[in-house]
Amino acid sequence: MREQLTEEKVFKDPVHDYVYVQDQTIWDLINTKEFQRLRRIRQLGTTYLTFHGAEHSRFSHSLGVYEITRRIISQFERNGYPDWPLEERLVSLCAALLHDVGHGPFSHSLEEIFETDHEEWTCAILLGETEINTVLKRVSDDFPEMVSSVIKKTYPKPIVVSLISSQMDADRMDYLLRDAYFTGVNYGTFDLERILRVLRPYKGQIVVKESGMHAVEHYLMSRYQMYWQIYFHPVTRSSEIILRQIFRRAQQLNSQGYRFRWMTNSLQQLLNNTLSLDDYLKLDEALAQTAFSEWSEEPDELLSDLCRRFINRYLYKYVTIENPDESLLSEVAAALLSIGLNPDYHMEIDYPFDLPYDVYRPEQKNGEKRGKAPILLLDSEDEISEISVKSDIVRSITGLRQGQYHLYYPEEPLLQNKDKLSEEMKKLFKLN
Ligand code: NI
C-alpha cells in the first residue's frame, strides 16, 4: 500500500519552508485537475479587500495541512509509539491533503445563499468520476470511501479523524500560521515545532505532553486574536454581505425569469440549484469575478450597483448597535424605504461570534455544531486532564462567547437624503 517515489519531491512554502512528498499517491493527487483548481480559490475569500496580502489559495493551505500531518505522523513513527497505528499513514495524509477540495469560490458566503455544503462536495469529488477518485482507487477499491469517511469524521479510528479535525488539528494550525503570514499580522504566530514535538498518540486519541501546555496556551490565544482581528474584521464582513446580496439578487432575478446579458452554463446551474459535479468544478473565483464585472452593467439597478460596489470596493458602512430589537429595526427599515432604498438589500445586522476554546459537550443541541474534541494533557503519571483544568489562561477563555451587533448600510444615499431623516435616525447613522 506504500508506494514510494524514487526521488522525494519538495514544494517551497513560506510557512513551513518545505513541503515534502514521498508517496506516489500524494504526488498524483496534487497533479489532478480537481486539486489544481484550488489554486484558483482564495483561502480567505474576500479578506483581500481588507488585508491586501491575503491572496493565498486553498492550494497552499491544503499542502500545508498535509505537511503538518506528515510531520506529526513521522514524529510518532520515529519514536515508535505503540498507540499509533502504522497502517493509517497514507489514509491520514490523503485526508489531510484533500480535506478542503470541495470548497467553491467564496465558499462560506455562497453556501449560505445556495445551501450547498463544501464537505458534501468534497466527498462527491472523492467518490465520483474524477481524477482524484482514479488515483485513490489505485491504492485499493475501498480507499476513496476510507478517505471520505475520515473527512466526514465517521472513520472507525478517531485518532485519524482528530489529526485533521479537533481543537488543535493540522487544519487549524496551518490556517492560523498561513493567514497570519499573508495578512501580515503577528497575532497568529505560535511555536508549531514545539507543539509537534509534544504531541503523543495515547489510547486512540492524540494528547499533549504536559510540559507543552504553554505552547498550547499560545496557540489558543493566537486563535482568539486571529478571529477578532482578521476573520471577523468588520470591513471583511461588509464585503461578505455585498457578495451574498449579489448572489441573492441574481438568484431572485433568475427565479423571476430575468434574462441576464451575461451568463455561463455553470453559473446558470448554480442559480437554478441544479449543479452537477462537473458544473461545480468549473466554478472558481476567476469566473465569479468575471460575472461581477459583467453584471455591473446589467439593467437591473440593484444587481449592477452591488457588483460595482464589490469590484470597486465601495462597501457598506456600519454602526455598532447595543440592542437591535424589532422596533428599532423596523424604524430603520421604514427610514430607508422613505428615501427610496430597499431594506431587503440595503440593511443587514451582523453578529459574529466565536468560541476560542470549548470544553467538549456531547449533548449540544438545536443544530449547534457538535463541539470538537478538547485538548488533553498527559502528565508524568500517565494521567489525562482536559487543558482548562490545569491552565488559568485557557480557563479564562473557555466557553467565552462575545460579540457585537453591527448594522450595515450604504452611506451615500443616507448622506444625500439626510434632511428627510428623523433626528433619531441621523443620530443612529452618525450623520450630524
Ligand atoms: Ni482547511
Side-chain angles (χ1 to χ4, degrees):
M1 208 157 113
R2 192 168 169 177
E3 200 191 325
Q4 299 284 294
L5 290 164
T6 42
E7 195 175 89
E8 182 177 77
K9 307 273 187 190
V10 292
F11 290 83
K12 189 76 183 86
D13 185 82
V15 176
H16 305 304
D17 197 12
Y18 285 101
V19 172
Y20 297 88
V21 178
Q22 295 130 348
D23 303 76
Q24 186 70 48
T25 303
I26 296 296
W27 181 245
D28 291 345
L29 286 172
I30 293 171
N31 290 314
T32 59
K33 62 180 184 195
E34 297 90 19
F35 192 79
Q36 291 291 320
R37 166 183 163 274
L38 298 178
R39 291 183 187 270
R40 304 190 298 275
I41 294 174
R42 290 186 186 89
Q43 173 68 12
L44 284 184
T46 65
T47 300
Y48 72 95
L49 290 167
T50 315
F51 295 89
H52 62 254
E55 294 278 352
H56 54 304
S57 66
R58 294 212 176 261
F59 180 90
S60 71
H61 163 65
S62 298
L63 285 184
V65 178
Y66 154 81
E67 177 61 16
I68 292 180
T69 307
R70 192 193 66 78
R71 288 184 193 178
I72 296 171
I73 294 175
S74 112
Q75 190 257 112
F76 291 173
E77 289 178 349
R78 280 199 311 275
N79 286 293
Y81 294 126
D83 285 9
W84 170 250
L86 290 171
E87 68 281 7
E88 304 299 334
R89 178 177 172 278
L90 189 61
V91 74
S92 307
L93 293 181
C94 290
L97 184 72
L98 300 174
H99 77 286
D100 275 346
V101 84
H103 271 288
F106 306 114
S107 281
H108 299 295
S109 312
L110 242 79
E111 281 176 15
E112 255 180 69
I113 300 298
F114 298 103
E115 293 175 4
T116 63
D117 181 296
H118 67 265
E119 202 171 287
E120 279 170 29
W121 284 112
T122 298
C123 294
I125 291 167
L126 265 52
L127 305 175
E129 279 182 38
T130 56
E131 294 183 4
I132 285 182
N133 179 264
T134 307
V135 173
L136 293 174
K137 267 204 173 141
R138 277 188 219 134
V139 178
S140 70
D141 266 349
D142 59 350
F143 197 62
E145 234 355 295
M146 286 165 68
V147 177
S148 112
S149 72
V150 176
I151 293 169
K152 278 189 295 198
K153 308 173 194 73
T154 55
Y155 195 67
K157 292 186 189 165
I159 194 167
V160 175
V161 174
S162 71
L163 279 172
I164 58 164
S165 183
S166 64
Q167 294 206 58
M168 197 172 63
D169 57 24
D171 183 25
R172 289 183 178 196
M173 289 195 270
D174 182 79
Y175 74 63
L176 290 176
L177 291 173
R178 193 167 298 278
D179 297 344
Y181 177 89
F182 283 98
T183 52
V185 305
N186 289 319
Y187 321 107
T189 55
F190 55 89
D191 193 347
L192 177 68
E193 293 305 318
R194 175 82 185 129
I195 289 180
L196 296 187
R197 281 183 58 81
V198 292
L199 294 181
R200 298 282 181 276
Y202 183 79
K203 295 186 180 169
Q205 53 196 345
I206 294 173
V207 299
V208 183
K209 220 177 115 187
E210 195 174 1
S211 62
M213 183 175 87
H214 299 295
V216 177
E217 287 174 341
H218 190 186
Y219 155 84
L220 287 172
M221 293 315 283
S222 296
R223 181 180 145 74
Y224 173 79
Q225 297 277 8
M226 284 294 283
Y227 267 81
W228 291 103
Q229 305 295 335
I230 307 292
Y231 305 132
F232 292 159
H233 194 288
V235 175
T236 306
R237 303 290 282 196
S238 177
S239 56
E240 285 168 356
I241 287 170
I242 305 268
L243 190 67
R244 283 201 301 273
Q245 304 286 30
I246 290 176
F247 283 109
R248 246 184 80 215
R249 184 61 180 169
Q251 192 185 39
Q252 191 182 35
L253 290 171
N254 185 59
S255 70
Q256 294 165 355
Y258 177 89
R259 287 187 63 85
F260 290 82
R261 286 193 184 172
W262 187 92
M263 185 51 77
T264 70
N265 184 53
S266 50
L267 270 179
Q268 184 66 60
Q269 303 309 324
L270 172 71
L271 297 181
N272 294 347
N273 256 319
T274 51
L275 275 180
S276 68
L277 182 53
D278 281 344
D279 293 325
Y280 185 74
L281 291 169
K282 284 188 192 129
L283 299 175
D284 59 28
E285 287 179 9
L287 176 69
Q289 298 275 5
T290 305
F292 302 155
S293 158
E294 295 289 340
W295 289 350
S296 68
E297 283 157 28
E298 282 289 338
D300 181 74
E301 270 179 40
L302 203 43
L303 181 64
S304 57
D305 175 64
L306 289 164
C307 287
R308 280 195 296 271
R309 285 181 178 279
F310 188 82
I311 290 200
N312 304 321
R313 196 188 177 281
Y314 202 28
L315 305 174
Y316 285 0
K317 290 274 183 278
Y318 69 93
V319 284
T320 305
I321 289 196
E322 293 299 328
N323 177 24
D325 57 22
E326 277 306 313
S327 74
L328 176 70
L329 293 184
S330 55
E331 265 178 68
V332 172
L336 295 184
L337 260 177
S338 76
I339 57 169
L341 292 177
N342 181 344
D344 242 9
Y345 286 94
H346 291 132
M347 64 180 275
E348 189 158 327
I349 287 284
D350 185 43
Y351 180 75
F353 75 89
D354 171 54
L355 293 174
Y357 175 72
D358 199 12
V359 179
Y360 184 51
R361 285 171 298 167
E363 72 290 350
Q364 261 161 345
K365 48 184 189 290
N366 297 342
E368 219 181 323
K369 278 207 173 161
R370 239 175 96 138
K372 291 193 171 188
I375 299 172
L376 301 173
L377 298 179
L378 177 70
D379 67 18
S380 51
E381 320 276 279
D382 262 12
E383 295 284 336
I384 294 277
S385 43
E386 189 276 312
I387 189 170
S388 69
V389 175
K390 297 227 167 156
S391 160
D392 295 335
I393 289 182
V394 175
R395 193 160 52 248
S396 73
I397 59 167
T398 296
L400 194 67
R401 186 183 284 233
Q402 59 163 62
Q404 263 184 335
Y405 291 97
H406 288 150
L407 169 66
Y408 286 85
Y409 59 95
E411 189 184 38
E412 32 331 301
L414 292 177
L415 280 172
Q416 282 156 16
N417 294 285
K418 195 172 135 179
D419 300 340
K420 297 182 196 151
L421 296 172
S422 69
E423 286 309 312
E424 198 196 351
M425 286 297 125
K426 278 192 237 178
K427 200 171 153 220
L428 179 77
F429 290 115
K430 303 195 167 84
L431 296 174
N432 287 319

